[in-house]
Amino acid sequence: MEIKKVLIVGAGTMGRGIAQWFAQQGVKVELVDAVFEVALAAQELANASWDKLHAKAKFNEKEIASFKSNLTPVEISEHSNDCDLVIEAIIENVDIKRELFQKIDMNMKKECIIASNTSSIPITTLARELSQERKTKTIGLHFFNPAPIMKLVEIIETTWTDKQLTKDLFDWFSKRSKKPAVCKDSPGFIVNRVARNFYGESLHILESYDQDKVEEIDNVLKNVGGFRMGPFTLMDLIGIDVNYDVTQSVWKSFYNDPRFRPHQIQREMVESGRTGKKVSEGFYKYEN
Ligand code: NAD
């Protein structure tokens, strides 16, 4: 399987990390966002990250120069139509993602693979309006945050996905420092389904906002439970809004099963704009 040119749509937390990782694999990456300045800022962040890795001697000067030349922010109306793979990492909204998939289907070369980085939306739902041929090349590629570092990539196939494509992608990622896992196209796939209860039960223990309890629950799960981060630190990192959207999507997909019901603390935090580390305030305060 040859992946030489990738289009990443959405240059937020995930899109920019995915773009950075692909550029490090020697793949040409075009990065677009609804707001072009976001794509430009993503390039700057990737460059700063590579400079740090260079200073730590993780990569040499030649490698860093090649990574930088592989990543290009492009105006959304001006991306190439001959990419081998498109990965969307835009807002977790089914209608907006479906509209984008249809546009890509119409414009991108027919051999191109279309993938979604959605955390929770069934890939079947995103693929069902696409052309018959494209359906066989549509798949979920779910990266984790931070994408250049986290090894797991969930590969989600639909009933239409060409099984050989799944195998080829599995091999492609396995050869390049990732640990892929093939998942069923069910809400939340594997990790986000299990994780709903990691967050949900922690929010139930908290019940109402209390800073001491936030720290206590985080400390217990981290220091005693062996998790790398406690649930509140992790929600702050993901973004309370992003996590709330995923919770709602999984809950609705399981016919409002109470096991997955969102908590009102999540809604209150989103409505008051305390959406986590990216805005310097979530369950904790940050100096960004
Ligand atoms: P984000 O809010 O940081 O970034 C989304 C970006 O998409 C924004 O820059 C926005 O301007 C852009 N955008 C929105 N609509 C667009 C459109 N129609 N065309 C082009 N650009 C558009 O979000 P994120 O955290 O990077 O999440 C993106 C996707 O990845 C979501 O589906 C989310 O569920 C999934 N995801 C998130 C995480 C995480 O930890 N944040 C982890 C895995 C997967």
Side-chain angles (χ1 to χ4, degrees):
M1 156 171 279
E2 269 203 335
I3 300 180
K4 288 189 168 167
K5 193 172 181 181
V6 176
L7 172 67
I8 311 285
V9 187
T13 309
M14 291 310 293
R16 74 165 176 265
I18 297 168
Q20 181 177 340
W21 184 78
F22 271 93
Q24 287 173 204
Q25 310 314 308
V27 174
K28 290 283 175 203
V29 180
E30 290 187 8
L31 181 59
V32 301
D33 195 279
V35 183
F36 181 54
E37 287 68 28
V38 174
L40 287 174
Q43 182 191 35
E44 272 178 31
L45 283 167
N47 285 345
S49 161
W50 283 322
D51 288 340
K52 269 193 209 153
L53 292 168
H54 183 212
K56 286 186 193 163
K58 302 262 183 209
F59 296 105
N60 64 36
E61 204 166 309
K62 206 173 149 204
E63 286 169 320
I64 296 292
S66 140
F67 301 162
K68 288 184 178 176
S69 73
N70 284 342
L71 176 57
T72 313
V74 177
E75 289 273 5
I76 195 152
S77 54
E78 288 173 13
H79 65 75
S80 317
N81 289 328
D82 62 349
C83 298
D84 303 304
L85 168 67
V86 177
I87 302 177
E88 74 76 17
I90 66 167
I91 186 170
E92 187 78 344
N93 175 297
V94 66
D95 295 327
I96 302 177
K97 283 193 194 283
R98 286 180 75 192
E99 193 185 323
L100 174 69
F101 261 33
Q102 281 162 28
K103 241 188 235 163
I104 295 166
D105 184 19
M106 275 191 294
N107 297 319
M108 203 48 81
K109 72 174 181 185
K110 67 176 178 22
E111 297 81 9
C112 177
I113 305 159
I114 305 187
S116 173
N117 183 53
T118 177
S119 304
S120 61
I121 301 169
I123 307 302
T124 306
T125 309
L126 300 178
R128 69 175 182 235
E129 303 288 320
L130 304 182
S131 61
Q132 220 42 49
E133 186 173 0
R134 190 76 72 182
K135 279 182 185 163
T136 65
K137 297 182 179 65
T138 302
I139 203 155
L141 290 178
H142 184 217
F143 293 79
F144 291 79
N145 187 13
I149 294 169
M150 297 295 280
K151 292 200 175 305
L152 178 63
V153 181
E154 289 178 330
I155 302 182
I156 304 108
E157 48 180 15
T158 71
T159 47
W160 304 298
T161 311
D162 178 354
K163 298 278 177 286
Q164 189 58 46
L165 173 66
T166 309
K167 282 200 189 103
D168 290 346
L169 283 169
F170 187 94
D171 291 345
W172 196 88
F173 283 111
S174 301
K175 283 183 195 143
R176 291 168 177 81
S177 80
K178 292 290 186 201
K179 292 224 177 297
V182 178
C183 306
K184 259 181 31 185
D185 193 19
S186 71
F189 317 121
I190 299 174
V191 172
N192 267 313
R193 179 166 169 179
V194 173
R196 281 320 95 203
N197 293 317
F198 183 61
Y199 309 122
E201 282 306 313
S202 308
L203 286 159
H204 281 296
I205 296 167
L206 187 64
E207 237 11 277
S208 60
Y209 191 79
D210 172 341
Q211 188 61 40
D212 289 341
K213 260 192 169 178
V214 164
E215 286 173 30
E216 188 189 1
I217 297 165
D218 264 358
N219 283 335
V220 167
L221 281 160
K222 192 175 156 201
N223 300 328
V224 186
F227 287 89
R228 189 173 284 183
M229 279 182 215
F232 300 106
T233 308
L234 185 52
M235 280 187 269
D236 274 359
L237 178 71
I238 291 166
I240 310 297
D241 49 345
V242 172
N243 196 36
Y244 183 49
D245 283 349
V246 174
T247 307
Q248 292 196 82
S249 165
V250 173
W251 178 54
K252 281 180 199 153
S253 303
F254 280 109
Y255 307 102
N256 298 0
D257 185 331
R259 285 185 300 156
F260 301 111
R261 189 164 49 217
H263 197 284
Q264 63 171 3
I265 292 177
Q266 292 174 292
R267 188 180 57 209
E268 280 161 16
M269 291 180 77
V270 172
E271 284 178 354
S272 62
R274 288 182 295 137
T275 54
K277 199 161 185 238
K278 61 189 168 188
V279 295
S280 310
E281 189 177 0
F283 287 101
Y284 296 92
K285 288 202 165 79
Y286 302 87
E287 284 174 24
N288 283 344

